[in-house]
Amino acid sequence: MEKTEKQKMLAGELYLAEDPELAAENKRASRLLRKYNSTTEEQQQQRQQILQELFGKIGQKVTVIPPFHCDYGTNIFAGDKLYINYGCVILDCNTVHIGDNVLCAPYVQIYTAYHPTEPEIRLSSRELAAPIKIGNNVWIGGSAIICPGVTIGDNTTIGAGSVVTKNIPENVIAAGNPCRVIRNLS
């Protein structure tokens, strides 16, 4: 039995994003995001209901300040006490697991999606995606970019403007482009 494009996407294999099933899921997310991003600060209960419908899992006391954007939403699994500030983009073409007590400053970008580097394959419209895992008690500074396939360990701080291209261990401060450990905390 051949895999669906969604199964290929979640397995990290080449897939076609314009597949009808994926296109329908993206439209669903776009509809929910349009509603979410038009809410006001007085509509906290409505925001929580939309996030519960949008995300694959959502913990307690989750705050996402609009505007917020994602591809599907269903591949985002958020823990307790998550705070996401203005302008966050999560390209969740693969799973994004976010631990408890995570803080994301404005304009954090989390990208599971990427394109093949070989032009012939890229011209076929096929894409790739790799999962991202963000541990517990992590602070991600403003305008940081988390690249496909990255894991960030518990109790870690990622400096503002960093481009995280490789795994970052737990209990460190890391920053730069490319992001690297600049101080151990333990």
Side-chain angles (χ1 to χ4, degrees):
M1 181 179 265
E2 190 173 326
K3 290 181 181 178
T4 66
E5 295 302 310
K6 181 177 180 178
Q7 289 169 329
K8 291 176 191 176
M9 178 180 79
L10 293 171
E13 300 170 9
L14 287 165
Y15 71 95
L16 291 170
E18 66 259 11
D19 173 73
E21 177 186 16
L22 293 175
E25 289 187 21
N26 180 259
K27 280 184 183 178
R28 172 195 164 274
S30 294
R31 179 181 49 80
L32 290 169
L33 288 166
R34 192 170 38 258
K35 286 171 54 177
Y36 188 84
N37 289 329
S38 68
T39 61
T40 66
E41 55 281 351
E42 288 85 20
Q43 296 174 300
Q44 295 301 320
Q45 185 175 1
Q46 184 178 358
R47 284 182 177 177
Q48 290 304 305
Q49 290 170 343
I50 295 169
L51 289 177
Q52 286 174 353
E53 188 177 347
L54 180 65
F55 284 11
K57 175 190 170 280
I58 186 169
Q60 299 293 312
K61 297 184 180 178
V62 169
T63 301
V64 178
I65 306 296
F68 172 72
H69 302 281
C70 64
D71 282 323
Y72 303 102
T74 53
N75 298 321
I76 302 169
F77 302 90
D80 295 335
K81 298 181 182 175
L82 169 64
Y83 182 87
I84 295 177
N85 213 323
Y86 302 97
C88 181
V89 174
I90 300 178
L91 300 184
D92 64 315
C93 299
N94 206 311
T95 58
V96 177
H97 289 272
I98 302 171
D100 296 334
N101 304 303
V102 172
L103 302 172
C104 293
Y107 301 102
V108 167
Q109 314 296 296
I110 300 172
Y111 302 148
T112 66
Y114 64 106
H115 296 278
T117 55
E118 299 82 9
E120 306 79 36
I121 299 172
R122 192 169 53 246
L123 290 170
S124 74
S125 298
R126 293 183 290 167
E127 301 175 11
L128 293 157
I132 291 175
K133 184 173 188 287
I134 299 168
N136 298 317
N137 311 314
V138 170
W139 175 23
I140 303 172
S143 297
I145 298 171
I146 313 300
C147 291
V150 165
T151 295
I152 298 173
D154 294 344
N155 308 311
T156 287
T157 297
I158 303 297
S162 295
V163 179
V164 185
T165 60
K166 295 185 174 153
N167 293 347
I168 302 294
E170 61 184 28
N171 299 309
V172 299
I173 297 171
N177 181 5
C179 188
R180 68 191 191 313
V181 175
I182 58 174
R183 191 169 102 203
N184 288 305
L185 297 175
S186 53

